Amino acid sequence: MLFLTRIILIFSILTFFSEFSLAGSLPDTFSISITVMNNQEQPLQSAVVTLYQANDHAIVKTELTDTRGIAFLTRLLAGQYYCEVSFIGHITDTTPVFTVGGDSSSQFKIRLHPQTDNLQEIVVRATKPFVQFEKGKVIVNPDASPSNAGTSLMELLEKMPGVTIDQNGTISLKAKSNVLIMVDGKPTYLSGTDLANLLSSMSSSQVDQVELITNPPARYDASGNAGVINIKTKRNRQRGFNGNFNISYGQGRYPKTNNSFSFNYRDRKFNTWLNYSVNYNEYYNDLYALRTYYNDAGKPIAKLDQPTYFGGHLLNNTVRTGVDFFASTKTTLSLIMMGTWTARKSENKALASWLGEGDRIDSSLTTTSTSDYKLKNGGLTLSFRHNFSAKQELSVDLDGLTYDIRNNQTFVNTYITSGGRNDASLGDIPSTLKILTGKTDYSHQLNSGAKVEAGIKISHIETDNKAIYQYNDGSGWQPDFGKTNQFLYTENIQALYASIDNRWKKFSFQAGLRYENTGYDAHQLGNPLRKDSSFSRQYDGLFPSGNLTWQSDSMNSFTITAGRRIDRPAFQRLNPFVFIINKYTYETGNPYFKPQYSWNLELSHQFKNALTTTLSYSIIKDYFSQLFLTDSSGILYYSQGNVGKVHIAGLSVSASLKLFSWWSLSGQALLNYKHLNGYVWNDFQSDIWQFNISANNQFVIGENYTAELSGFFTGPARNDLQESLLPTGQLNIGVARTVLKKKGTLKLSIRDLLHTQTMSGNTTFQHAHEYFMIRRDSRVITLAFSYRFGKPLKAVKRGNGAEDEMQRANQ
């Protein structure tokens, strides 16, 4: 009954906004079409049409042509514009300036000529900028940066404007952690170490674009208080047989290689495509930690000195393949299959020394450990798209996703003093994750110009996590029931949303409301030392979102954005298990972990689509934070929980500038003030100013060369109540050259040129303090080569369902 009441409430609000838009909107927007043909009067599908304002050359929007060679540019204000049109293998051309509005023509045609050997004097550069700023999101084009060659997805993300990654692999966006990571619009459903391992093992060469969305609209899941990072993989829809491959070799202290291959074949009724990547990476992490213990009077009584070396290698295979069936001009059916196999093996050595007065060594032990981590992932997606008309669309998506993760660990401790005895532990930690989701989305362009969207989503998640430990103290192997456990978890989420998007004179707005209902059941199985335990929880919430934009003139616009979001604890974090990190550090779950809720508000000014200034404020309740607790034996227990409330105020300035014809600059500077107020073993308060700056310089050198100088710097930061991070940064350089009639590209880059990307900081816990520093194999020189091939089919004048796909690709 409560769920039905929520549904009625949302659709009542939707009806109100729809009637408001019909009554109050004026027909002051216009639509035009651009038809792109080749020199034989054949339509060119997937040509890029970019619309500019004539007075200041600001980009208004970009669209792709459909199978008829037509690009539709809608909801335009009256004024003067021109279009730049580009297509692979053809000379980029520009239309004359034209007028939109009144009795002016709404249909335009342009003819592109093919590149030939006798046109060497014409230089074609239809490249995308590294960063594009659109209303509500930042779009990053990885291929525009030569220094991205040979990198992983995780290494790609850390170079994004406003994105920071800490020593645990936690991703933050504009100083806020708990970002919803999506791949092709679908959540990964992983978190923590498993998410970091997945992103570190995947190649950035498979990425087409990355969208950074700090205040997502209602059609997105409400998860992620910092917003959404949507990783869009490459997928060619050009007709005929087309493909490309990328190979790279990188050398840091150890070798690395990232390689990928993709192709598609498309005719009138079918589009078949496949992307495959294989990556091999040898790595190291040098960790140093110094833990100081204090008595109740605050006097140091002992120190634990812990240098640790982690070394290993990683092998990853990822495949994504699918087929699109264009049943008619209005209906498309799609099947997508995906799989990932990752193997990571490491051998680690650590020395732990207890220090007394004068830093004299009282006792020491060495620990040798191994980890054999394997991740298998499989997924299946069925999609249905139907256009009732040019203004109405219905889509249905069914998804199945599985993860099979296994980690085998060994720890052998040798005591250098105190008799020299040994002890050892074995851990077998398998886990499975199964996800089933179904969603339906409907959109309707009203006659008034308003666009109404509504949808429903249902997801079912099951996890089975085991931890089987054995212990050997010299008398033989025996079960360690104090750490062994099995945790079963089932979660169901039902969601419903509605939104409206409209324009009135110089104002445009988007308003949406999303309802989500969550219920879960958790069961920890018992063993001879521990009884069974179980717990359940059910909660729901409304999550409004929206924005209002005032276009004050052709060069300036002001936007206010607001939204409420939620973060649910990761499944594994609810499991009250114990996971061994080393002899004196354990990780444990928290069954009392609750969701955190946030309100986010932004006020931004945009000048000519080139400079954006944003003021932001967020308040987060029941804030997620790492917790560090110690027992009487000096063992540190690391967990997560809700600690209180956080206020974050921020100022950011983002720019995408063409300083000269040969020099483009994109960058972002971010300043945040963060106030944390919470309780662990006593009341905690923390205030910190955080600063992050990133910049990417792109240079065009002659006809065939491009170069890059980029980097980032992050000042002191704090994501957790008990832990602060020290400054870090990175400088990258790269150069690229086109070869083989511009079908191939050679890239040479050096990442972290000065080897300054260290992770260091300080952790405070009851009666102790710890300083840590981590240095990775981050300085890498990489040589990469990419080549595109294929033979496009001649376009035909008859349209088919592909035009729907092309339009959706730009939504």
Side-chain angles (χ1 to χ4, degrees):
M1 185 64 184
L2 178 60
F3 182 64
L4 180 60
T5 303
R6 303 283 191 177
I7 294 176
I8 294 173
L9 174 62
I10 290 179
F11 276 100
S12 297
I13 294 174
L14 171 63
T15 303
F16 168 77
F17 278 118
S18 300
E19 293 178 353
F20 169 79
S21 67
L22 286 167
S25 298
L26 297 178
D28 57 352
T29 60
F30 304 89
S31 299
I32 64 171
S33 64
I34 305 291
T35 302
V36 183
M37 313 291 285
N38 63 14
N39 60 349
Q40 297 178 351
E41 289 297 314
Q42 295 173 326
L44 295 178
Q45 179 185 340
S46 301
V48 180
V49 179
T50 304
L51 181 69
Y52 293 84
Q53 292 179 347
N55 59 343
D56 58 7
H57 309 292
I59 296 176
V60 178
K61 60 174 57 181
T62 301
E63 297 289 348
L64 297 181
T65 57
D66 59 21
T67 54
R68 297 168 297 175
I70 301 175
F72 295 95
L73 303 167
T74 62
R75 305 184 69 187
L76 305 177
L77 295 175
Q80 290 190 315
Y81 302 86
Y82 68 91
C83 286
E84 182 183 74
V85 183
S86 62
F87 185 72
I88 296 174
H90 289 68
I91 301 170
T92 299
D93 203 355
T94 303
T95 68
V97 174
F98 53 83
T99 301
V100 172
D103 298 328
S104 302
S105 174
S106 61
Q107 297 180 351
F108 304 91
K109 184 177 179 179
I110 187 171
R111 184 182 294 107
L112 297 184
H113 295 276
Q115 300 175 31
T116 58
D117 293 337
N118 60 355
L119 292 176
Q120 295 298 320
E121 71 276 7
I122 298 177
V123 179
V124 179
R125 294 192 185 98
T127 58
K128 294 180 180 179
F130 178 64
V131 177
Q132 295 172 277
F133 299 100
E134 295 187 3
K135 187 176 74 171
K137 62 183 174 182
V138 177
I139 298 175
V140 181
N141 300 296
D143 283 345
S145 171
S147 68
N148 288 330
T151 60
S152 68
L153 270 179
M154 184 69 88
E155 292 164 340
L156 173 66
L157 289 176
E158 68 185 1
K159 295 172 58 181
M160 301 285 169
V163 176
T164 55
I165 300 175
D166 69 11
Q167 78 282 2
N168 299 313
T170 301
I171 301 171
S172 298
L173 180 59
K174 288 193 172 182
K176 293 185 291 183
S177 55
N178 297 292
V179 185
L180 176 61
I181 304 296
M182 308 180 78
V183 178
D184 290 330
K186 302 181 186 300
T188 62
Y189 294 99
L190 293 179
S191 63
T193 302
D194 291 328
L195 176 60
N197 285 337
L198 178 68
L199 296 178
S200 297
S201 63
M202 297 177 66
S203 173
S204 65
S205 64
Q206 294 290 289
V207 178
D208 180 39
Q209 287 184 335
V210 178
E211 297 177 328
L212 311 177
I213 311 172
T214 53
N215 272 305
R219 69 174 177 271
Y220 287 91
D221 289 1
S223 299
N225 88 87
V228 170
I229 296 179
N230 183 28
I231 301 166
K232 301 172 70 173
T233 59
K234 294 177 179 176
R235 183 175 170 187
N236 198 337
R237 293 187 176 92
Q238 188 176 357
R239 296 192 63 183
F241 178 78
N242 305 276
N244 67 77
F245 67 85
N246 298 268
I247 58 174
S248 71
Y249 177 82
Q251 184 68 50
R253 180 184 295 184
Y254 299 111
K256 308 154 201 314
T257 179
N258 289 318
N259 311 286
S260 64
F261 167 81
S262 66
F263 79 88
N264 83 296
Y265 178 77
R266 178 173 182 163
D267 58 20
R268 290 176 54 196
K269 283 292 185 180
F270 291 94
N271 178 45
T272 304
W273 56 275
L274 180 143
N275 296 334
Y276 171 74
S277 68
V278 55
N279 315 311
Y280 178 79
N281 180 5
E282 295 183 17
Y283 64 90
Y284 78 90
N285 287 321
D286 268 331
L287 167 64
Y288 175 74
L290 178 62
R291 190 180 305 168
T292 305
Y293 294 85
Y294 301 88
N295 59 21
D296 292 337
K299 180 180 178 181
I301 55 176
K303 293 182 180 180
L304 179 61
D305 187 81
Q306 303 178 86
T308 306
Y309 177 85
F310 299 88
H313 64 269
L314 177 150
L315 177 64
N316 176 77
N317 291 266
T318 298
V319 62
R320 300 174 67 87
T321 185
V323 59
D324 304 313
F325 171 55
F326 310 117
S328 69
T329 59
K330 295 185 176 182
T331 303
T332 302
L333 299 171
S334 299
L335 169 67
I336 300 174
M337 295 173 287
M338 64 201 77
T340 300
W341 181 82
T342 300
R344 180 191 293 263
K345 292 186 178 181
S346 65
E347 296 182 357
N348 318 309
K349 297 180 180 180
L351 173 66
S353 302
W354 287 98
L355 308 179
E357 288 189 25
D359 291 341
R360 185 188 69 256
I361 297 178
D362 290 338
S363 63
S364 297
L365 68 84
T366 61
T367 300
T368 58
S369 63
T370 64
S371 175
D372 186 0
Y373 177 93
K374 290 184 173 64
L375 180 149
K376 297 179 182 179
N377 159 237
L380 179 69
T381 297
L382 295 173
S383 299
F384 168 82
R385 302 286 186 275
H386 180 73
N387 288 73
F388 298 99
S389 67
K391 296 183 177 181
Q392 291 177 280
E393 181 184 89
L394 175 70
S395 64
V396 179
D397 294 278
L398 302 175
D399 297 278
L401 191 65
T402 65
Y403 289 96
D404 185 357
I405 303 171
R406 181 175 291 272
N407 191 6
N408 292 316
Q409 297 178 316
T410 64
F411 296 89
V412 178
N413 302 307
T414 301
Y415 294 81
I416 299 175
T417 54
S418 303
R421 61 186 178 86
N422 293 349
D423 62 54
S425 295
L426 291 177
D428 179 12
I429 310 172
S431 62
T432 59
L433 176 61
K434 299 177 181 179
I435 303 109
L436 294 173
T437 66
K439 71 184 186 80
T440 299
D441 300 281
Y442 173 76
S443 65
H444 187 186
Q445 190 88 31
L446 304 179
N447 292 332
S448 64
K451 183 178 182 180
V452 174
E453 294 182 321
I456 188 170
K457 178 179 179 180
I458 298 174
S459 63
H460 174 80
I461 302 166
E462 294 181 3
T463 70
D464 184 352
N465 299 279
K466 295 180 181 178
I468 305 167
Y469 282 100
Q470 299 180 65
Y471 180 77
N472 188 340
D473 59 1
S475 59
W477 289 103
Q478 53 188 331
D480 188 349
F481 292 116
K483 300 182 181 68
T484 296
N485 85 102
Q486 183 174 2
F487 182 70
L488 306 176
Y489 179 90
T490 303
E491 179 181 272
N492 293 287
I493 301 176
Q494 301 88 33
L496 179 73
Y497 79 89
S499 67
I500 184 168
D501 191 341
N502 201 8
R503 180 188 295 272
W504 182 76
K505 294 185 178 180
K506 291 188 176 183
F507 293 91
S508 61
F509 74 90
Q510 182 272 327
L513 186 63
R514 187 178 183 92
Y515 168 73
E516 292 190 353
N517 179 72
T518 305
Y520 68 77
D521 297 295
H523 184 197
Q524 184 180 30
L525 304 184
N527 61 43
L529 294 183
R530 181 186 294 119
K531 296 182 179 179
D532 276 19
S533 63
S534 61
F535 52 93
S536 301
R537 182 177 174 85
Q538 186 163 352
Y539 54 92
D540 62 0
L542 290 171
F543 302 94
S545 62
N547 61 71
L548 175 66
T549 298
W550 175 46
Q551 189 78 39
S552 60
D553 54 40
S554 61
M555 294 187 292
N556 296 276
S557 65
F558 298 84
T559 301
I560 185 170
T561 305
R564 183 176 187 251
R565 301 191 64 75
I566 184 176
D567 286 295
R568 299 174 180 87
F571 320 125
Q572 299 89 334
R573 297 297 184 188
L574 294 168
N575 181 7
F577 72 111
V578 172
F579 180 83
I580 299 176
I581 297 177
N582 59 44
K583 176 69 175 178
Y584 299 108
T585 308
Y586 294 166
E587 182 178 359
T588 181
N590 179 4
Y592 305 104
F593 210 174
K594 300 185 300 181
Q596 71 174 11
Y597 295 88
S598 63
W599 275 100
N600 303 313
L601 179 68
E602 289 186 347
L603 175 63
S604 62
H605 166 251
Q606 190 170 45
F607 175 71
K608 296 178 63 174
N609 286 336
L611 183 66
T612 302
T613 305
T614 303
L615 292 171
S616 62
Y617 172 75
S618 297
I619 180 172
I620 307 172
K621 296 182 179 179
D622 292 324
Y623 181 65
F624 287 0
S625 179
Q626 295 184 89
L627 303 177
F628 301 91
L629 305 172
T630 56
D631 62 14
S632 57
S633 64
I635 293 178
L636 167 66
Y637 289 88
Y638 155 68
S639 184
Q640 283 197 352
N642 308 98
V643 297
K645 187 181 296 184
V646 175
H647 300 265
I648 304 174
L651 169 66
S652 66
V653 179
S654 305
S656 182
L657 306 172
K658 196 171 186 66
L659 302 178
F660 300 98
S661 60
W662 51 272
W663 181 7
S664 298
L665 168 67
S666 61
Q668 183 180 82
L670 175 66
L671 178 67
N672 278 290
Y673 171 76
K674 182 182 288 187
H675 175 75
L676 300 92
N677 187 4
Y679 180 86
V680 184
W681 64 87
N682 58 20
D683 290 328
F684 264 83
Q685 284 197 12
S686 174
D687 297 88
I688 188 170
W689 287 91
Q690 300 183 179
F691 177 72
N692 171 265
I693 185 171
S694 61
N696 184 289
N697 295 272
Q698 299 286 327
F699 306 98
V700 177
I701 306 172
E703 180 180 348
N704 296 313
Y705 287 91
T706 59
E708 174 195 340
L709 176 65
S710 64
F712 67 85
F713 175 79
T714 301
R718 181 183 291 272
N719 289 331
D720 301 291
L721 199 62
Q722 296 174 255
E723 187 171 87
S724 61
L725 304 176
L726 298 176
T728 187
Q730 183 184 99
L731 179 67
N732 312 295
I733 59 174
V735 62
R737 187 191 192 281
T738 57
V739 295
L740 301 176
K741 297 182 179 180
K742 298 188 181 295
K743 289 187 176 182
T745 304
L746 279 169
K747 297 179 180 180
L748 179 66
S749 64
I750 303 178
R751 181 168 50 87
D752 195 13
L753 177 65
L754 304 178
H755 209 191
T756 53
Q757 196 187 8
T758 58
M759 304 286 185
S760 58
N762 295 280
T763 305
T764 301
F765 35 90
Q766 192 173 20
H767 303 311
H769 170 272
E770 182 174 273
Y771 166 78
F772 64 87
M773 182 180 70
I774 302 172
R775 186 178 291 274
R776 304 177 296 148
D777 197 10
S778 58
R779 180 164 55 187
V780 179
I781 182 171
T782 301
L783 178 65
F785 174 72
S786 63
Y787 183 79
R788 57 179 174 84
F789 57 88
K791 186 177 181 181
L793 294 178
K794 290 184 178 180
V796 296
K797 294 185 179 181
R798 178 182 175 184
N800 58 36
E803 63 195 59
D804 304 328
E805 290 295 291
M806 289 300 102
Q807 291 169 1
R808 284 194 294 275
N810 285 279
Q811 289 179 352

